């Protein structure tokens, strides 16, 4: 009788040493007593297709995908979910038993679950959302906010054209304003989201004027290093409810772990602690 193979998963990107995903999945594997491993892999661009073809033969059941391959893997997958196609990127791959590669994007799911867990009383339909940034993460956030019932999204980006392309793709509930006017559209916002890298360790601060923030707004930042960005600190001081970005990282990992290892993991304080240590 053939011995059952130990399931393997991992994260691919370049660079990859900074990724906290191995800590996260390693914590869950230990917590639930699952025989399996999760491995970070720095894959050269020229070897991406070969790597995806080889890994299932070595016992891999799936992968997380990070920069710069989130868009490229869509062309290499056999099956692409509607949400991954809409976002134009995949962060989760499942290697199916029939040999096909299934690509999904769970960033929007992770974003919403973070708010549902950590923002008591948040009602998406309560009013407009203001979103800073128009990159890949913004696309996932906008799609999830629209699905959740946000009536209007005011989108602003340092490069207006990129925001306009995103608004055109996602429909009439998305309105673009110039970056220099970003501080002027905060007073009516029920939800404020930073999807840019501004405020992250090693990056410039988000310098949008925040004195117009509505104190009833929920303010969240996808940046989680530091956990409290300037945006979150100022919003909290003004009386706004705030949610840091770490929970999105944790929740977006749940669907992949469940598909790969057969157990739906829980996101709790121990999970946060394991990733932050």
């Amino acid at each position: 009788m053939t011995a059952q193979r130990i399931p393997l998963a991992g994260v691919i990107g370049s660079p990859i040493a900074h990724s906290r995903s191995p800590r996260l999945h390693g914590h869950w594997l230990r917590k639930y007593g699952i025989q399996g491993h999760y491995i970070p892999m720095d894959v050269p661009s020229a070897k991406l297709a070969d790597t995806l073809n080889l890994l299932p033969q070595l016992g891999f059941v799936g992968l997380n995908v990070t920069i710069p391959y989130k868009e490229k893997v869509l062309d290499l997958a056999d099956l692409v979910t509607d949400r991954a196609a809409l976002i134009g990127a995949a962060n989760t791959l499942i290697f199916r038993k029939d040999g096909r590669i299934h690509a999904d994007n769970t960033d929007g799911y992770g974003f919403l679950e973070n708010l549902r867990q950590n923002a008591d009383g948040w009602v998406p339909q309560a009013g407009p959302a203001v979103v800073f940034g128009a990159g890949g993460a913004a696309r996932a956030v906008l799609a999830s906010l629209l699905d959740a019932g946000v009536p209007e999204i005011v989108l602003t980006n340092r490069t207006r054209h990129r925001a306009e392309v995103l608004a055109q793709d996602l429909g009439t509930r998305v309105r673009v304003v110039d970056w220099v006017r970003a501080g002027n559209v905060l007073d009516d916002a029920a939800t404020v989201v930073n999807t840019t890298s501004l405020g992250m360790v090693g990056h410039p601060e988000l310098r949008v004027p925040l004195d117009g923030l509505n104190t009833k707004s929920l303010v969240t930042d996808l940046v989680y290093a530091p956990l409290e960005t300037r945006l979150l600190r100022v919003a909290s001081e003004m009386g706004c409810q705030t949610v840091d970005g770490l929970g999105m990282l944790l929740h977006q990992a749940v669907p992949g772990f469940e598909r790969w290892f057969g157990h739906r993991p829980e996101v709790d304080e121990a999970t946060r602690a394991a990733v932050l240590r």
Side-chain angles (χ1 to χ4, degrees), residues 141-153 170-174:
V141 166
L142 263 66
S144 65
L145 286 172
L146 292 171
D147 284 346
V150 169
E152 181 190 29
I153 297 174
L170 292 177
T172 56
R173 280 193 286 160
V174 182

Side-chain angles (χ1 to χ4, degrees), residues 1-62:
M1 189 173 80
T2 305
Q4 188 173 0
R5 300 176 88 174
I6 293 175
L8 306 175
V11 56
I12 59 169
S14 187
I16 203 63
H18 67 283
S19 175
R20 302 195 188 195
S21 292
R23 292 187 198 175
L24 172 59
H25 289 275
H27 166 74
W28 282 336
L29 288 167
R30 291 188 297 274
K31 176 179 179 179
Y32 300 113
I34 296 170
Q35 270 202 316
H37 298 282
Y38 185 96
I39 303 158
M41 289 173 280
D42 192 325
V43 177
S45 178
K47 296 293 185 182
L48 181 61
D50 290 343
T51 299
L52 295 186
N53 288 327
L54 177 62
L55 289 180
Q57 301 173 46
L58 302 180
F60 278 79
V61 290

Side-chain angles (χ1 to χ4, degrees), residues 128-258:
V130 172
V131 176
F132 303 132
R139 190 174 281 266
V141 166
L142 263 66
S144 65
L145 286 172
L146 292 171
D147 284 346
V150 169
E152 181 190 29
I153 297 174
V154 180
L155 177 62
T156 183
N157 189 56
R158 285 169 289 180
T159 307
R160 182 183 175 103
H161 175 70
R162 195 168 185 182
E164 288 175 339
V165 170
L166 182 49
Q168 190 171 9
D169 288 348
L170 292 177
T172 56
R173 280 193 286 160
V174 182
R175 175 168 64 92
V176 176
V177 300
D178 287 334
W179 185 254
V180 293
R181 293 190 58 241
N184 300 333
V185 295
L186 296 173
D187 52 345
D188 290 331
T191 308
V192 177
V193 188
N194 176 40
T195 72
T196 76
S197 60
L198 296 173
M200 185 186 297
V201 172
H203 292 256
E205 289 284 7
L206 177 70
R207 292 297 181 188
V208 172
L210 300 174
D211 50 322
L213 269 174
N214 182 338
T215 58
K216 295 182 179 178
S217 295
L218 165 70
V219 181
T220 185
D221 199 324
L222 270 54
V223 170
Y224 56 83
L227 274 179
E228 186 179 58
T229 59
R230 173 182 174 270
L231 171 64
L232 296 185
R233 185 180 70 255
V234 171
S236 180
E237 290 170 353
M238 294 178 68
C240 298
Q241 186 177 22
T242 62
V243 176
D244 68 55
L246 182 60
M248 177 176 169
L249 173 74
L250 306 181
H251 282 285
Q252 62 81 28
V254 168
F257 187 93
E258 182 178 22

Side-chain angles (χ1 to χ4, degrees), residues 106-130:
T106 64
D107 283 335
Y109 166 85
F111 171 75
L112 286 182
E113 287 302 305
N114 185 31
L115 297 189
R116 287 169 178 150
Q117 182 179 51
N118 297 301
D120 291 339
W122 179 62
V123 179
Q125 299 85 356
V130 172

Side-chain angles (χ1 to χ4, degrees), residues 80-128:
V80 177
T81 63
D82 289 343
R83 59 185 174 184
L86 175 66
I87 293 165
N91 71 334
T92 304
L93 300 180
I94 297 132
F95 298 145
R96 292 165 42 130
K97 291 181 179 177
D98 63 7
R100 293 192 288 179
I101 298 174
H102 180 223
D104 195 8
N105 191 305
T106 64
D107 283 335
Y109 166 85
F111 171 75
L112 286 182
E113 287 302 305
N114 185 31
L115 297 189
R116 287 169 178 150
Q117 182 179 51
N118 297 301
D120 291 339
W122 179 62
V123 179
Q125 299 85 356

